Amino acid sequence: MIKIEDVHKRFGEEEILKGITTVFEKGKTNLIIGQSGSGKSVMLKCLIGLFKPEQGKIYYGDEAIQDMDDERQRKLREEMGMLFQGGALFDSMNIEENVMFPLRMFTKMKKPEMLARVNEVLKRVNLEGVNKKYTAEISGGMQKRVSIARAIVNKPKYLFCDEPNSGLDPKTATLIDTLIQEITHEYDITTIVVTHDMNSVMEIGEKVMLLKNGKLVWQGTNQEIFKTDNEDVTSFVYSSDLFKKIRDVQLKENKA
Amino acid sequence: MKYLHDIGSYFLMLKKVFASFTKTSVLKHMIFKDINDLIISSLGIVAFISFFVGGVVSIQTALNMDNPIVPDSLIGFATRQSVILEFAPTFISIIMAGKVGSFITSSIGSMRVTEQIDALEVMGINSLNYLVFPKIVALMFYPFVIVLSMFLGVFGGWVAAVYGGFSSSADFIAGVQEDFIPYQLFYAFFKTFIFAFILATVPSWQGYYMKGGSLEVGKASTNSFVWTSVLIIAANYIITQLLLSA
Ligand SMILES: Nc1ncnc2c1ncn2[C@@H]1O[C@H](COP(=O)(O)OP(=O)(O)OP(=O)(O)O)[C@@H](O)[C@H]1O
Ligand SMILES: [Mg+2]
């Protein structure tokens, strides 16, 4: 579980996060949604400690990261897996080496053991036979999947995903979403996914929070999100015509 | 103000490079990779330049010696002095600032803009130690490059003098061996080490703290060349003042 209390983050004059308080639950996929520029990535980077909030606390379990010394923070980070918006694969390494990297860094595994684990996770993200290719030689969607494989290879306790399915075709996107959810349940970890994809919200939004201009304006489940009258939610959710139509159909059916 | 801030951030970076160490086996791998990328791959261009510039120095000296009283051995002597004292350590370092320096800045800079450095940090790795320390170690082999440059420079001078008909081989070699002062060699290698450290750290600093996208990576590489060579020239002046003129 991760708990944050009144987190503020500013860059220069501009306040990007304006006091956010919430809880990310363990064993669930926690989604952060919101428009482009609303501060989702910044919030994620505050959570993982890449950005330091000026105000507020971030608790991992009972411990606030602000109160941890460097060594303790480093240890904590070994338990995190992160999927960056752009993939952030190491382009000096091939796919296999990329995925193996956390194992090489933090475990005492022998090479064959590491290789077996790498192949196992690559198989889970539906990527086989690309072990020796370099980042530049595979497609964007494949890079995303490799990046997920790298994030989960060392069985993290906390998984952070920044737009895991942007730029993917609907089928692969769904596959990635389900994979993230499966892993979350299987390892009973705390997963936080940033997205602006309503499909993901419907499929894996066990807890959904909507950010708007650096403020948390709504939170609830994916069931609740289609029922609420909260204006910020409806204007975000129904910005897509498709969802509007679906809602209209549902309302008609309900009346009938 | 900006300069003070930059100097401060440079020294803070150095401190962090040595703060918490990456796993030895991984670091060893990185060091070998950097020795290959930074040292081995530079040998060709260094050899080429040294040989021909050594030749030119020797020809220039010969052409400017029209006084018959001056012995032919001066050609060898002058070539040795200029190659060992200035050409090899300083001039080659400026070339390396272009080659190695911009390579370091662009490779670290592109890791910065594509969030690879963030990825390292999130994993709990001290990215400065992981990226910069191996480069510092690799460049501790830089004096070998300079030895090669010194040798080939003098050799190029000998070839040009003997085959250009300016001096006999024996005269040239006598000149090379004349008035040999070990302290000058110490001076040359002392500054080589300082330059190596500048070459490893200044471009790393430029790349690590850059902001922006791939366009800025290009700008940072150019900046890195300018700063690294300015610092090398300045350090050269100060070291020469301190070690030779005291
Ligand atoms: N390192 C930074 N320095 C300064 N400003 C930043 C930095 N990172 C983000 N910002 C600003 O913070 C705001 C929120 O950015 P953020 O990346 O969190 O948006 P987002 O919600 O993730 O959008 P998207 O869906 O497009 O990824 C933007 O106005 C951005 O310009
Ligand atoms: Mg974002």
Side-chain angles (χ1 to χ4, degrees), chain A residues 45 48 50 74 77 82 84 88-91 93 101 104-107, chain B residues 20 22-23 26 111 114-116 118-125 130:
Chain A
K45 287 184 178 171
I48 57 185
L50 278 181
R74 225 179 46 72
R77 285 177 173 192
M82 166 88 185
F84 283 85
L89 293 175
F90 302 121
D91 43 24
M93 300 177 195
F101 189 80
R104 253 178 50 206
M105 275 290 176
F106 304 118
T107 70
Chain B
S20 77
T22 311
K23 201 170 163 183
V26 178
M111 289 186 73
T114 56
E115 297 182 311
Q116 294 176 50
D118 289 341
L120 288 169
E121 288 290 324
V122 175
M123 289 178 199
I125 294 163
Y130 175 80

PDB file of all heavy atoms in Angstrom, chain A residues 45 48 50 74 77 82 84 88-91 93 101 104-107, chain B residues 20 22-23 26 111 114-116 118-125 130:
ATOM      1  N   LYS A  45       6.258  10.317 -10.842  1.00  0.00           N
ATOM      2  CA  LYS A  45       7.675  10.524 -10.527  1.00  0.00           C
ATOM      3  C   LYS A  45       7.879  10.971  -9.082  1.00  0.00           C
ATOM      4  O   LYS A  45       8.928  10.723  -8.497  1.00  0.00           O
ATOM      5  CB  LYS A  45       8.299  11.509 -11.513  1.00  0.00           C
ATOM      6  CG  LYS A  45       8.496  10.857 -12.870  1.00  0.00           C
ATOM      7  CD  LYS A  45       9.202  11.738 -13.869  1.00  0.00           C
ATOM      8  CE  LYS A  45       9.383  10.972 -15.185  1.00  0.00           C
ATOM      9  NZ  LYS A  45       9.859  11.821 -16.273  1.00  0.00           N
ATOM     10  N   ILE A  48       7.727   7.640  -7.033  1.00  0.00           N
ATOM     11  CA  ILE A  48       8.919   6.801  -7.060  1.00  0.00           C
ATOM     12  C   ILE A  48      10.159   7.544  -6.598  1.00  0.00           C
ATOM     13  O   ILE A  48      11.237   6.974  -6.556  1.00  0.00           O
ATOM     14  CB  ILE A  48       9.174   6.226  -8.463  1.00  0.00           C
ATOM     15  CG1 ILE A  48       9.311   7.342  -9.491  1.00  0.00           C
ATOM     16  CG2 ILE A  48       8.067   5.270  -8.855  1.00  0.00           C
ATOM     17  CD1 ILE A  48       9.453   6.845 -10.893  1.00  0.00           C
ATOM     18  N   LEU A  50      11.666  10.239  -7.930  1.00  0.00           N
ATOM     19  CA  LEU A  50      12.505  10.956  -8.899  1.00  0.00           C
ATOM     20  C   LEU A  50      12.347  12.460  -8.735  1.00  0.00           C
ATOM     21  O   LEU A  50      13.263  13.218  -8.987  1.00  0.00           O
ATOM     22  CB  LEU A  50      12.140  10.563 -10.325  1.00  0.00           C
ATOM     23  CG  LEU A  50      12.734   9.277 -10.863  1.00  0.00           C
ATOM     24  CD1 LEU A  50      12.289   9.045 -12.296  1.00  0.00           C
ATOM     25  CD2 LEU A  50      14.243   9.265 -10.786  1.00  0.00           C
ATOM     26  N   ARG A  74      17.276   3.348  -1.450  1.00  0.00           N
ATOM     27  CA  ARG A  74      17.837   2.514  -2.508  1.00  0.00           C
ATOM     28  C   ARG A  74      17.254   1.102  -2.422  1.00  0.00           C
ATOM     29  O   ARG A  74      16.856   0.508  -3.415  1.00  0.00           O
ATOM     30  CB  ARG A  74      19.359   2.478  -2.377  1.00  0.00           C
ATOM     31  CG  ARG A  74      20.107   2.652  -3.691  1.00  0.00           C
ATOM     32  CD  ARG A  74      21.611   2.634  -3.474  1.00  0.00           C
ATOM     33  NE  ARG A  74      22.031   1.550  -2.601  1.00  0.00           N
ATOM     34  CZ  ARG A  74      22.043   0.271  -2.952  1.00  0.00           C
ATOM     35  NH1 ARG A  74      21.674  -0.072  -4.160  1.00  0.00           N
ATOM     36  NH2 ARG A  74      22.432  -0.643  -2.110  1.00  0.00           N
ATOM     37  N   ARG A  77      13.792   0.997  -3.646  1.00  0.00           N
ATOM     38  CA  ARG A  77      13.694   1.059  -5.099  1.00  0.00           C
ATOM     39  C   ARG A  77      13.965  -0.277  -5.770  1.00  0.00           C
ATOM     40  O   ARG A  77      13.497  -0.543  -6.871  1.00  0.00           O
ATOM     41  CB  ARG A  77      14.655   2.110  -5.634  1.00  0.00           C
ATOM     42  CG  ARG A  77      14.131   3.489  -5.385  1.00  0.00           C
ATOM     43  CD  ARG A  77      15.092   4.528  -5.829  1.00  0.00           C
ATOM     44  NE  ARG A  77      14.513   5.850  -5.735  1.00  0.00           N
ATOM     45  CZ  ARG A  77      15.070   6.922  -6.270  1.00  0.00           C
ATOM     46  NH1 ARG A  77      16.192   6.819  -6.925  1.00  0.00           N
ATOM     47  NH2 ARG A  77      14.502   8.078  -6.150  1.00  0.00           N
ATOM     48  N   MET A  82       9.264  -0.129 -12.891  1.00  0.00           N
ATOM     49  CA  MET A  82       8.662   1.057 -13.496  1.00  0.00           C
ATOM     50  C   MET A  82       8.676   0.934 -15.009  1.00  0.00           C
ATOM     51  O   MET A  82       9.683   0.595 -15.611  1.00  0.00           O
ATOM     52  CB  MET A  82       9.448   2.294 -13.063  1.00  0.00           C
ATOM     53  CG  MET A  82       9.163   3.538 -13.865  1.00  0.00           C
ATOM     54  SD  MET A  82       7.780   4.466 -13.177  1.00  0.00           S
ATOM     55  CE  MET A  82       7.612   5.766 -14.402  1.00  0.00           C
ATOM     56  N   PHE A  84       8.308   3.285 -18.108  1.00  0.00           N
ATOM     57  CA  PHE A  84       8.286   4.704 -18.467  1.00  0.00           C
ATOM     58  C   PHE A  84       7.423   4.947 -19.698  1.00  0.00           C
ATOM     59  O   PHE A  84       7.238   4.058 -20.531  1.00  0.00           O
ATOM     60  CB  PHE A  84       9.703   5.207 -18.725  1.00  0.00           C
ATOM     61  CG  PHE A  84      10.468   5.442 -17.460  1.00  0.00           C
ATOM     62  CD1 PHE A  84      11.130   4.405 -16.834  1.00  0.00           C
ATOM     63  CD2 PHE A  84      10.499   6.690 -16.880  1.00  0.00           C
ATOM     64  CE1 PHE A  84      11.814   4.609 -15.655  1.00  0.00           C
ATOM     65  CE2 PHE A  84      11.182   6.906 -15.707  1.00  0.00           C
ATOM     66  CZ  PHE A  84      11.845   5.870 -15.090  1.00  0.00           C
ATOM     67  N   ALA A  88      12.122   3.776 -22.162  1.00  0.00           N
ATOM     68  CA  ALA A  88      13.394   3.935 -21.458  1.00  0.00           C
ATOM     69  C   ALA A  88      14.227   2.664 -21.427  1.00  0.00           C
ATOM     70  O   ALA A  88      14.880   2.335 -20.440  1.00  0.00           O
ATOM     71  CB  ALA A  88      13.181   4.467 -20.031  1.00  0.00           C
ATOM     72  N   LEU A  89      14.222   1.923 -22.527  1.00  0.00           N
ATOM     73  CA  LEU A  89      15.102   0.755 -22.609  1.00  0.00           C
ATOM     74  C   LEU A  89      16.528   1.229 -22.828  1.00  0.00           C
ATOM     75  O   LEU A  89      16.753   2.293 -23.404  1.00  0.00           O
ATOM     76  CB  LEU A  89      14.669  -0.139 -23.764  1.00  0.00           C
ATOM     77  CG  LEU A  89      13.305  -0.808 -23.594  1.00  0.00           C
ATOM     78  CD1 LEU A  89      12.928  -1.561 -24.856  1.00  0.00           C
ATOM     79  CD2 LEU A  89      13.315  -1.749 -22.395  1.00  0.00           C
ATOM     80  N   PHE A  90      17.486   0.439 -22.366  1.00  0.00           N
ATOM     81  CA  PHE A  90      18.892   0.813 -22.568  1.00  0.00           C
ATOM     82  C   PHE A  90      19.278   0.470 -24.004  1.00  0.00           C
ATOM     83  O   PHE A  90      19.296  -0.699 -24.379  1.00  0.00           O
ATOM     84  CB  PHE A  90      19.781   0.072 -21.587  1.00  0.00           C
ATOM     85  CG  PHE A  90      19.403   0.336 -20.160  1.00  0.00           C
ATOM     86  CD1 PHE A  90      19.040  -0.693 -19.319  1.00  0.00           C
ATOM     87  CD2 PHE A  90      19.388   1.621 -19.658  1.00  0.00           C
ATOM     88  CE1 PHE A  90      18.679  -0.451 -18.008  1.00  0.00           C
ATOM     89  CE2 PHE A  90      19.017   1.885 -18.353  1.00  0.00           C
ATOM     90  CZ  PHE A  90      18.668   0.844 -17.526  1.00  0.00           C
ATOM     91  N   ASP A  91      19.595   1.500 -24.789  1.00  0.00           N
ATOM     92  CA  ASP A  91      19.816   1.185 -26.203  1.00  0.00           C
ATOM     93  C   ASP A  91      21.203   0.613 -26.482  1.00  0.00           C
ATOM     94  O   ASP A  91      21.497   0.197 -27.589  1.00  0.00           O
ATOM     95  CB  ASP A  91      19.485   2.375 -27.120  1.00  0.00           C
ATOM     96  CG  ASP A  91      20.006   3.673 -26.572  1.00  0.00           C
ATOM     97  OD1 ASP A  91      20.969   3.628 -25.790  1.00  0.00           O
ATOM     98  OD2 ASP A  91      19.455   4.735 -26.916  1.00  0.00           O
ATOM     99  N   MET A  93      22.096  -2.028 -25.000  1.00  0.00           N
ATOM    100  CA  MET A  93      21.963  -3.456 -24.695  1.00  0.00           C
ATOM    101  C   MET A  93      20.895  -4.078 -25.575  1.00  0.00           C
ATOM    102  O   MET A  93      19.961  -3.406 -25.989  1.00  0.00           O
ATOM    103  CB  MET A  93      21.506  -3.654 -23.245  1.00  0.00           C
ATOM    104  CG  MET A  93      22.420  -3.086 -22.212  1.00  0.00           C
ATOM    105  SD  MET A  93      21.673  -3.346 -20.591  1.00  0.00           S
ATOM    106  CE  MET A  93      22.665  -2.223 -19.633  1.00  0.00           C
ATOM    107  N   PHE A 101      18.849  -7.077 -16.842  1.00  0.00           N
ATOM    108  CA  PHE A 101      19.590  -6.069 -16.076  1.00  0.00           C
ATOM    109  C   PHE A 101      19.259  -6.025 -14.573  1.00  0.00           C
ATOM    110  O   PHE A 101      20.168  -6.075 -13.742  1.00  0.00           O
ATOM    111  CB  PHE A 101      19.386  -4.703 -16.741  1.00  0.00           C
ATOM    112  CG  PHE A 101      20.252  -3.620 -16.195  1.00  0.00           C
ATOM    113  CD1 PHE A 101      21.575  -3.496 -16.594  1.00  0.00           C
ATOM    114  CD2 PHE A 101      19.756  -2.717 -15.266  1.00  0.00           C
ATOM    115  CE1 PHE A 101      22.375  -2.491 -16.082  1.00  0.00           C
ATOM    116  CE2 PHE A 101      20.558  -1.710 -14.753  1.00  0.00           C
ATOM    117  CZ  PHE A 101      21.864  -1.596 -15.157  1.00  0.00           C
ATOM    118  N   ARG A 104      20.744  -9.021 -12.880  1.00  0.00           N
ATOM    119  CA  ARG A 104      22.206  -8.950 -12.763  1.00  0.00           C
ATOM    120  C   ARG A 104      22.611  -7.998 -11.648  1.00  0.00           C
ATOM    121  O   ARG A 104      23.601  -8.200 -10.964  1.00  0.00           O
ATOM    122  CB  ARG A 104      22.791  -8.450 -14.088  1.00  0.00           C
ATOM    123  CG  ARG A 104      23.489  -9.541 -14.868  1.00  0.00           C
ATOM    124  CD  ARG A 104      24.002  -9.019 -16.179  1.00  0.00           C
ATOM    125  NE  ARG A 104      24.772  -7.792 -16.042  1.00  0.00           N
ATOM    126  CZ  ARG A 104      24.914  -6.883 -17.007  1.00  0.00           C
ATOM    127  NH1 ARG A 104      24.342  -7.067 -18.171  1.00  0.00           N
ATOM    128  NH2 ARG A 104      25.631  -5.806 -16.817  1.00  0.00           N
ATOM    129  N   MET A 105      21.811  -6.932 -11.491  1.00  0.00           N
ATOM    130  CA  MET A 105      22.150  -5.933 -10.492  1.00  0.00           C
ATOM    131  C   MET A 105      21.854  -6.391  -9.073  1.00  0.00           C
ATOM    132  O   MET A 105      22.608  -6.137  -8.159  1.00  0.00           O
ATOM    133  CB  MET A 105      21.330  -4.658 -10.753  1.00  0.00           C
ATOM    134  CG  MET A 105      21.943  -3.748 -11.741  1.00  0.00           C
ATOM    135  SD  MET A 105      23.420  -3.016 -11.045  1.00  0.00           S
ATOM    136  CE  MET A 105      24.000  -2.089 -12.430  1.00  0.00           C
ATOM    137  N   PHE A 106      20.711  -7.042  -8.906  1.00  0.00           N
ATOM    138  CA  PHE A 106      20.209  -7.208  -7.542  1.00  0.00           C
ATOM    139  C   PHE A 106      20.055  -8.640  -7.075  1.00  0.00           C
ATOM    140  O   PHE A 106      19.599  -8.872  -5.968  1.00  0.00           O
ATOM    141  CB  PHE A 106      18.866  -6.495  -7.395  1.00  0.00           C
ATOM    142  CG  PHE A 106      18.952  -5.047  -7.762  1.00  0.00           C
ATOM    143  CD1 PHE A 106      18.227  -4.530  -8.821  1.00  0.00           C
ATOM    144  CD2 PHE A 106      19.782  -4.201  -7.048  1.00  0.00           C
ATOM    145  CE1 PHE A 106      18.331  -3.203  -9.161  1.00  0.00           C
ATOM    146  CE2 PHE A 106      19.886  -2.869  -7.377  1.00  0.00           C
ATOM    147  CZ  PHE A 106      19.168  -2.365  -8.442  1.00  0.00           C
ATOM    148  N   THR A 107      20.359  -9.615  -7.902  1.00  0.00           N
ATOM    149  CA  THR A 107      20.220 -10.982  -7.409  1.00  0.00           C
ATOM    150  C   THR A 107      21.567 -11.694  -7.521  1.00  0.00           C
ATOM    151  O   THR A 107      22.485 -11.197  -8.157  1.00  0.00           O
ATOM    152  CB  THR A 107      19.189 -11.789  -8.220  1.00  0.00           C
ATOM    153  OG1 THR A 107      19.738 -12.019  -9.520  1.00  0.00           O
ATOM    154  CG2 THR A 107      17.872 -11.043  -8.339  1.00  0.00           C
TER     155      THR A 107
ATOM    156  N   SER B  20      27.838   5.782  -3.901  1.00  0.00           N
ATOM    157  CA  SER B  20      27.533   4.378  -3.637  1.00  0.00           C
ATOM    158  C   SER B  20      27.817   3.563  -4.884  1.00  0.00           C
ATOM    159  O   SER B  20      27.386   3.906  -5.982  1.00  0.00           O
ATOM    160  CB  SER B  20      26.083   4.204  -3.165  1.00  0.00           C
ATOM    161  OG  SER B  20      25.207   4.296  -4.234  1.00  0.00           O
ATOM    162  N   THR B  22      28.249   0.629  -7.702  1.00  0.00           N
ATOM    163  CA  THR B  22      27.493  -0.390  -8.413  1.00  0.00           C
ATOM    164  C   THR B  22      28.178  -1.732  -8.192  1.00  0.00           C
ATOM    165  O   THR B  22      29.366  -1.789  -7.913  1.00  0.00           O
ATOM    166  CB  THR B  22      27.501  -0.042  -9.917  1.00  0.00           C
ATOM    167  OG1 THR B  22      27.150   1.322 -10.057  1.00  0.00           O
ATOM    168  CG2 THR B  22      26.543  -0.894 -10.697  1.00  0.00           C
ATOM    169  N   LYS B  23      27.401  -2.792  -8.340  1.00  0.00           N
ATOM    170  CA  LYS B  23      27.925  -4.156  -8.210  1.00  0.00           C
ATOM    171  C   LYS B  23      29.188  -4.335  -9.057  1.00  0.00           C
ATOM    172  O   LYS B  23      29.216  -3.952 -10.228  1.00  0.00           O
ATOM    173  CB  LYS B  23      26.839  -5.107  -8.701  1.00  0.00           C
ATOM    174  CG  LYS B  23      26.952  -6.504  -8.213  1.00  0.00           C
ATOM    175  CD  LYS B  23      25.673  -7.224  -8.583  1.00  0.00           C
ATOM    176  CE  LYS B  23      25.838  -8.713  -8.514  1.00  0.00           C
ATOM    177  NZ  LYS B  23      24.615  -9.401  -8.945  1.00  0.00           N
ATOM    178  N   VAL B  26      29.191  -5.884 -12.640  1.00  0.00           N
ATOM    179  CA  VAL B  26      28.569  -5.032 -13.662  1.00  0.00           C
ATOM    180  C   VAL B  26      29.513  -3.887 -14.030  1.00  0.00           C
ATOM    181  O   VAL B  26      29.703  -3.551 -15.194  1.00  0.00           O
ATOM    182  CB  VAL B  26      27.229  -4.470 -13.142  1.00  0.00           C
ATOM    183  CG1 VAL B  26      26.607  -3.545 -14.163  1.00  0.00           C
ATOM    184  CG2 VAL B  26      26.282  -5.603 -12.802  1.00  0.00           C
ATOM    185  N   MET B 111      20.778   9.247 -23.100  1.00  0.00           N
ATOM    186  CA  MET B 111      20.193   8.441 -22.012  1.00  0.00           C
ATOM    187  C   MET B 111      19.336   9.314 -21.095  1.00  0.00           C
ATOM    188  O   MET B 111      18.326   8.880 -20.564  1.00  0.00           O
ATOM    189  CB  MET B 111      21.278   7.760 -21.184  1.00  0.00           C
ATOM    190  CG  MET B 111      21.966   6.639 -21.911  1.00  0.00           C
ATOM    191  SD  MET B 111      23.116   5.744 -20.869  1.00  0.00           S
ATOM    192  CE  MET B 111      22.017   4.834 -19.800  1.00  0.00           C
ATOM    193  N   THR B 114      15.939  10.186 -23.022  1.00  0.00           N
ATOM    194  CA  THR B 114      15.022   9.061 -23.217  1.00  0.00           C
ATOM    195  C   THR B 114      14.713   8.366 -21.892  1.00  0.00           C
ATOM    196  O   THR B 114      14.245   7.230 -21.878  1.00  0.00           O
ATOM    197  CB  THR B 114      15.591   8.029 -24.209  1.00  0.00           C
ATOM    198  OG1 THR B 114      16.873   7.615 -23.721  1.00  0.00           O
ATOM    199  CG2 THR B 114      15.756   8.611 -25.586  1.00  0.00           C
ATOM    200  N   GLU B 115      14.982   9.054 -20.793  1.00  0.00           N
ATOM    201  CA  GLU B 115      14.640   8.571 -19.442  1.00  0.00           C
ATOM    202  C   GLU B 115      15.396   7.319 -19.012  1.00  0.00           C
ATOM    203  O   GLU B 115      15.023   6.667 -18.044  1.00  0.00           O
ATOM    204  CB  GLU B 115      13.119   8.322 -19.316  1.00  0.00           C
ATOM    205  CG  GLU B 115      12.284   9.589 -19.485  1.00  0.00           C
ATOM    206  CD  GLU B 115      10.791   9.344 -19.308  1.00  0.00           C
ATOM    207  OE1 GLU B 115      10.282   8.399 -19.929  1.00  0.00           O
ATOM    208  OE2 GLU B 115      10.146  10.083 -18.553  1.00  0.00           O
ATOM    209  N   GLN B 116      16.458   6.957 -19.743  1.00  0.00           N
ATOM    210  CA  GLN B 116      17.215   5.778 -19.321  1.00  0.00           C
ATOM    211  C   GLN B 116      17.908   6.018 -17.977  1.00  0.00           C
ATOM    212  O   GLN B 116      18.071   5.102 -17.173  1.00  0.00           O
ATOM    213  CB  GLN B 116      18.262   5.396 -20.369  1.00  0.00           C
ATOM    214  CG  GLN B 116      17.651   4.919 -21.680  1.00  0.00           C
ATOM    215  CD  GLN B 116      18.694   4.641 -22.742  1.00  0.00           C
ATOM    216  OE1 GLN B 116      19.675   3.950 -22.510  1.00  0.00           O
ATOM    217  NE2 GLN B 116      18.500   5.188 -23.922  1.00  0.00           N
ATOM    218  N   ASP B 118      16.693   7.982 -15.613  1.00  0.00           N
ATOM    219  CA  ASP B 118      15.632   7.829 -14.622  1.00  0.00           C
ATOM    220  C   ASP B 118      15.386   6.354 -14.334  1.00  0.00           C
ATOM    221  O   ASP B 118      15.178   5.961 -13.186  1.00  0.00           O
ATOM    222  CB  ASP B 118      14.333   8.464 -15.132  1.00  0.00           C
ATOM    223  CG  ASP B 118      14.409   9.981 -15.153  1.00  0.00           C
ATOM    224  OD1 ASP B 118      15.291  10.525 -14.460  1.00  0.00           O
ATOM    225  OD2 ASP B 118      13.609  10.613 -15.849  1.00  0.00           O
ATOM    226  N   ALA B 119      15.407   5.546 -15.392  1.00  0.00           N
ATOM    227  CA  ALA B 119      15.176   4.117 -15.203  1.00  0.00           C
ATOM    228  C   ALA B 119      16.227   3.520 -14.270  1.00  0.00           C
ATOM    229  O   ALA B 119      15.908   2.722 -13.388  1.00  0.00           O
ATOM    230  CB  ALA B 119      15.184   3.398 -16.547  1.00  0.00           C
ATOM    231  N   LEU B 120      17.483   3.936 -14.431  1.00  0.00           N
ATOM    232  CA  LEU B 120      18.539   3.456 -13.542  1.00  0.00           C
ATOM    233  C   LEU B 120      18.269   3.883 -12.108  1.00  0.00           C
ATOM    234  O   LEU B 120      18.371   3.091 -11.164  1.00  0.00           O
ATOM    235  CB  LEU B 120      19.907   4.010 -13.979  1.00  0.00           C
ATOM    236  CG  LEU B 120      20.513   3.444 -15.251  1.00  0.00           C
ATOM    237  CD1 LEU B 120      21.700   4.287 -15.681  1.00  0.00           C
ATOM    238  CD2 LEU B 120      20.950   2.003 -15.043  1.00  0.00           C
ATOM    239  N   GLU B 121      17.916   5.165 -11.949  1.00  0.00           N
ATOM    240  CA  GLU B 121      17.673   5.698 -10.611  1.00  0.00           C
ATOM    241  C   GLU B 121      16.513   4.974  -9.930  1.00  0.00           C
ATOM    242  O   GLU B 121      16.576   4.660  -8.746  1.00  0.00           O
ATOM    243  CB  GLU B 121      17.394   7.203 -10.679  1.00  0.00           C
ATOM    244  CG  GLU B 121      18.631   8.043 -10.996  1.00  0.00           C
ATOM    245  CD  GLU B 121      19.623   8.073  -9.831  1.00  0.00           C
ATOM    246  OE1 GLU B 121      19.179   8.084  -8.679  1.00  0.00           O
ATOM    247  OE2 GLU B 121      20.838   8.081 -10.096  1.00  0.00           O
ATOM    248  N   VAL B 122      15.441   4.716 -10.702  1.00  0.00           N
ATOM    249  CA  VAL B 122      14.287   4.035 -10.118  1.00  0.00           C
ATOM    250  C   VAL B 122      14.663   2.642  -9.631  1.00  0.00           C
ATOM    251  O   VAL B 122      14.141   2.153  -8.641  1.00  0.00           O
ATOM    252  CB  VAL B 122      13.137   3.923 -11.141  1.00  0.00           C
ATOM    253  CG1 VAL B 122      12.006   3.101 -10.569  1.00  0.00           C
ATOM    254  CG2 VAL B 122      12.638   5.289 -11.498  1.00  0.00           C
ATOM    255  N   MET B 123      15.588   2.026 -10.340  1.00  0.00           N
ATOM    256  CA  MET B 123      16.008   0.699  -9.895  1.00  0.00           C
ATOM    257  C   MET B 123      16.880   0.777  -8.642  1.00  0.00           C
ATOM    258  O   MET B 123      17.280  -0.245  -8.099  1.00  0.00           O
ATOM    259  CB  MET B 123      16.805   0.010 -11.003  1.00  0.00           C
ATOM    260  CG  MET B 123      15.978  -0.407 -12.187  1.00  0.00           C
ATOM    261  SD  MET B 123      17.068  -1.141 -13.406  1.00  0.00           S
ATOM    262  CE  MET B 123      16.078  -1.018 -14.866  1.00  0.00           C
ATOM    263  N   GLY B 124      17.210   1.982  -8.223  1.00  0.00           N
ATOM    264  CA  GLY B 124      18.044   2.111  -7.033  1.00  0.00           C
ATOM    265  C   GLY B 124      19.524   2.063  -7.358  1.00  0.00           C
ATOM    266  O   GLY B 124      20.356   1.751  -6.511  1.00  0.00           O
ATOM    267  N   ILE B 125      19.857   2.371  -8.612  1.00  0.00           N
ATOM    268  CA  ILE B 125      21.267   2.379  -9.005  1.00  0.00           C
ATOM    269  C   ILE B 125      21.771   3.818  -8.976  1.00  0.00           C
ATOM    270  O   ILE B 125      21.073   4.728  -9.408  1.00  0.00           O
ATOM    271  CB  ILE B 125      21.409   1.798 -10.428  1.00  0.00           C
ATOM    272  CG1 ILE B 125      21.029   0.316 -10.402  1.00  0.00           C
ATOM    273  CG2 ILE B 125      22.811   1.993 -10.968  1.00  0.00           C
ATOM    274  CD1 ILE B 125      20.747  -0.256 -11.752  1.00  0.00           C
ATOM    275  N   TYR B 130      27.494   4.446 -11.980  1.00  0.00           N
ATOM    276  CA  TYR B 130      27.361   3.453 -13.045  1.00  0.00           C
ATOM    277  C   TYR B 130      27.863   3.993 -14.384  1.00  0.00           C
ATOM    278  O   TYR B 130      28.516   3.288 -15.140  1.00  0.00           O
ATOM    279  CB  TYR B 130      25.894   3.043 -13.142  1.00  0.00           C
ATOM    280  CG  TYR B 130      25.548   2.106 -14.274  1.00  0.00           C
ATOM    281  CD1 TYR B 130      25.793   0.741 -14.164  1.00  0.00           C
ATOM    282  CD2 TYR B 130      24.960   2.587 -15.444  1.00  0.00           C
ATOM    283  CE1 TYR B 130      25.459  -0.118 -15.192  1.00  0.00           C
ATOM    284  CE2 TYR B 130      24.620   1.728 -16.474  1.00  0.00           C
ATOM    285  CZ  TYR B 130      24.875   0.380 -16.350  1.00  0.00           C
ATOM    286  OH  TYR B 130      24.545  -0.470 -17.376  1.00  0.00           O
TER     287      TYR B 130
END
